[in-house]
Amino acid sequence: MSESRARRRAVGLAAVSVLAAAVLTGGPAHAAAGQTALAADTVRVNEVVTTGDVNDSIELYNTGAAAVDISGWILKDDQDSSEYQIAAGTTLAAGGFHAFDVHNAFGLGSADEARLYHGGTLVDSFSWTKHSDPSWSRCPDGTGAFGQAAVVTLGGPNSCAGAGGTSVAWPGSGTVTTADGSNVFGEDLSGLYQEGSVLWAAQNSGKLWRLVRNGTGWKPDASAGWTSGKTLRYPNGSGTPDDEGVTLTGAGSAGGVYVSTERNGDASGTSRTSVLRYDVSGTSTTLTATREWNLTADLPPVGSNLGFEGITWIPDSSLTGLVDSSTGAAYDPSRYGSHTGGVFFIGVEGTGMIYGYVLQDSGAFTRIASVSSGMQGVMELQWEPQASRLWVVCDDTCDGQHRTMKINAAGAFAVVAVYNRPSGMANYNNEGFSVAGADECSGGAKPVYWSDDSNDSGHALRRGAITC
């Protein structure tokens, strides 16, 4: 968005205060100081938030190997008269997280307690003497003591100290140059994806661009109706998708271009976190989606302008070590029938979470991974096959920080490096990032590109480099 990050978050406050549940991945349990627990139970209080956008929230975590029906269980603060009853039909998956917004039942103060009861018996509790600022998180999840974490991760793994390490210098040249003409795109240019000699760009005013090389930069393709970008519509031909990210599958653009969207611009106050697929083979200046996977109901709610941002596709062959959070076993693509031959990973601006989805050709979908980026927001995701790593990018809110993640021995994506932005690039509102392929390596380096949502100094595209 061209709006400032602070403005975007302010607009979303009312929506994110109503927090729904999310089922993700986890590990074993331990009772630490300030808590009590019953050894026979596997459900633990794992995160508490008392301030900020999602205040008065308590997250539970199932450390066991089997799902637990927590229907009718009771959450309390330090007053016995305060009760939040968990709704009937609520199940906490094996190794799963479930966050509850309790503000309609009671508030969580600066000196308070979160208690969990089952059948009148205290299962687990945590007490504190100052506000969360922003999160009281158990580290590691389910096994460690509570501490004040720097990031709220309700519905996902906690952002534990040392998870991302200390940030280091950009892994390449500090030099950054403009990569577009003056005022070609204006504001709102967002996600990027390079396909050889073509750079795809999503503009969140409901437009998709096909860019071709212009020296060391890019310009709009002047053929097949792409001169001014193409207008995007939902599958019924209506609406203005607020498209933020763009990616391709192993089939390339011939197999369709996929964009991540956070809302319909014609109903901008309502969240609509979707992935849309477009056939880009024709000459029409308007593209109607051939499929929409609307994932809104499957995820914790966020403000309508704080939803899906970055998106990237990772082939099944690169995910053999990943644990599928929907089954608790190794990811097995054969159980999902006809799909794209990979998994779409989508970043959320408002929470900094990353979600992995198998999007089936039938329109069905399954969430198989949920990952905390450890950052305040995710604006772009890029899979780099050459290094088998996932790039996670934040904008000026995080001073242009980039993180790389790989699948660890536990079968989950984890941060392996934290990079500062290049020394030669100002703290722009970058919402897009693209990495060139191995074929462009020269002298041990290859190009990368950023899109600046704010069109600073009349330019929306910039070029840098990373080591190969």
Side-chain angles (χ1 to χ4, degrees):
M1 300 300 148
S2 57
E3 304 168 74
S4 69
R5 172 76 176 190
R7 169 62 180 161
R8 292 198 301 265
R9 291 195 65 83
V11 170
L13 289 182
V16 297
S17 65
V18 183
L19 185 69
V23 179
L24 310 176
T25 58
H30 174 71
Q35 320 149 220
T36 59
L38 297 178
D41 294 297
T42 62
V43 179
R44 297 290 180 270
V45 175
N46 197 57
E47 183 175 8
V48 177
V49 178
T50 67
T51 58
D53 297 353
V54 287
N55 61 309
D56 302 331
S57 295
I58 300 172
E59 176 190 82
L60 302 182
Y61 174 70
N62 180 10
T63 66
V68 177
D69 185 347
I70 54 175
S71 302
W73 290 33
I74 302 294
L75 289 167
K76 296 184 178 184
D77 62 4
D78 61 354
Q79 301 295 316
D80 288 336
S81 58
S82 300
E83 288 193 0
Y84 174 96
Q85 183 169 318
I86 297 173
T90 304
T91 300
L92 189 56
F97 300 81
H98 206 126
F100 299 91
D101 176 2
V102 299
H103 82 276
N104 286 327
F106 54 85
L108 297 173
S110 59
D112 211 334
E113 188 174 18
R115 296 182 290 168
L116 174 66
Y117 285 84
H118 176 212
T121 300
L122 180 67
V123 175
D124 194 22
S125 67
F126 167 65
S127 60
W128 58 91
T129 58
K130 60 181 180 180
H131 275 304
S132 53
D133 192 30
S135 169
W136 282 112
S137 296
R138 203 197 277 262
C139 285
D141 288 299
T143 64
F146 276 89
Q148 285 189 300
V151 180
V152 173
T153 59
L154 291 166
N158 288 337
S159 179
C160 296
T166 303
S167 61
V168 297
W170 181 250
S173 171
T175 301
V176 173
T177 59
T178 57
D180 60 349
S182 179
N183 291 308
V184 174
F185 304 102
E187 296 184 341
D188 296 336
L189 200 65
S190 192
L192 300 175
Y193 187 90
Q194 186 176 345
E195 181 189 20
S197 60
V198 172
L199 183 66
W200 297 94
Q203 192 162 25
N204 51 54
S205 52
K207 186 177 285 188
L208 181 67
W209 294 85
R210 186 181 191 272
L211 309 179
V212 294
R213 294 189 186 277
N214 182 25
T216 59
W218 302 90
K219 64 181 180 179
D221 186 349
S223 67
W226 288 103
T227 303
S228 299
K230 295 194 176 187
T231 300
L232 301 184
R233 301 296 184 203
Y234 285 99
N236 61 2
S238 69
T240 305
D242 186 346
D243 50 309
E244 301 285 353
V246 59
T247 195
L248 305 179
T249 68
S253 56
V257 173
Y258 294 76
V259 303
S260 55
T261 71
E262 59 186 3
R263 59 182 174 175
N264 178 359
D266 296 347
S268 61
T270 302
S271 181
R272 185 171 174 174
T273 47
S274 297
V275 176
L276 299 168
R277 182 183 64 204
Y278 292 93
D279 179 350
V280 296
S281 61
T283 60
S284 172
T285 57
T286 298
L287 301 175
T288 297
T290 58
R291 173 73 72 185
E292 177 183 11
W293 291 268
N294 189 332
L295 309 176
T296 311
D298 191 57
L299 295 168
V302 293
S304 62
N305 203 19
L306 296 171
F308 283 168
E309 286 282 335
I311 183 172
T312 197
W313 178 87
I314 302 178
D316 289 336
S317 58
S318 296
L319 298 171
T320 54
L322 183 69
V323 172
D324 183 336
S325 64
S326 71
T327 65
Y331 171 58
D332 178 8
S334 67
R335 75 184 303 270
Y336 295 107
S338 180
H339 61 288
T340 61
V343 177
F344 291 86
F345 285 78
I346 314 163
V348 178
E349 176 184 359
T351 63
M353 289 296 295
I354 303 165
Y355 299 102
Y357 277 94
V358 177
L359 303 181
Q360 294 179 241
D361 297 344
S362 64
F365 56 83
T366 303
R367 175 152 47 99
I368 69 157
S370 302
V371 184
S372 171
S373 71
M375 296 192 291
Q376 289 177 262
V378 173
M379 313 308 286
E380 179 68 290
L381 296 172
Q382 283 288 317
W383 176 248
E384 185 187 2
Q386 183 181 6
S388 296
R389 60 184 174 182
L390 177 66
W391 285 87
V392 186
V393 182
C394 189
D395 60 3
D396 50 339
T397 306
C398 310
D399 294 322
Q401 188 180 96
H402 296 57
R403 295 187 173 203
T404 56
M405 307 182 87
K406 291 189 174 186
I407 299 172
N408 63 16
F413 272 99
V415 175
V416 294
V418 180
Y419 297 116
N420 297 320
R421 69 179 188 273
S423 58
M425 185 166 66
N427 192 21
Y428 295 127
N429 185 20
N430 288 328
E431 291 195 354
F433 177 70
S434 182
V435 181
D439 59 316
E440 292 193 49
C441 285
S442 177
K446 63 180 180 179
V448 295
Y449 301 93
W450 293 269
S451 58
D452 175 4
D453 181 80
S454 297
N455 197 46
D456 286 287
S457 301
H459 291 280
L461 291 175
R462 292 178 175 83
R463 171 186 168 124
I466 58 172
T467 56
C468 293

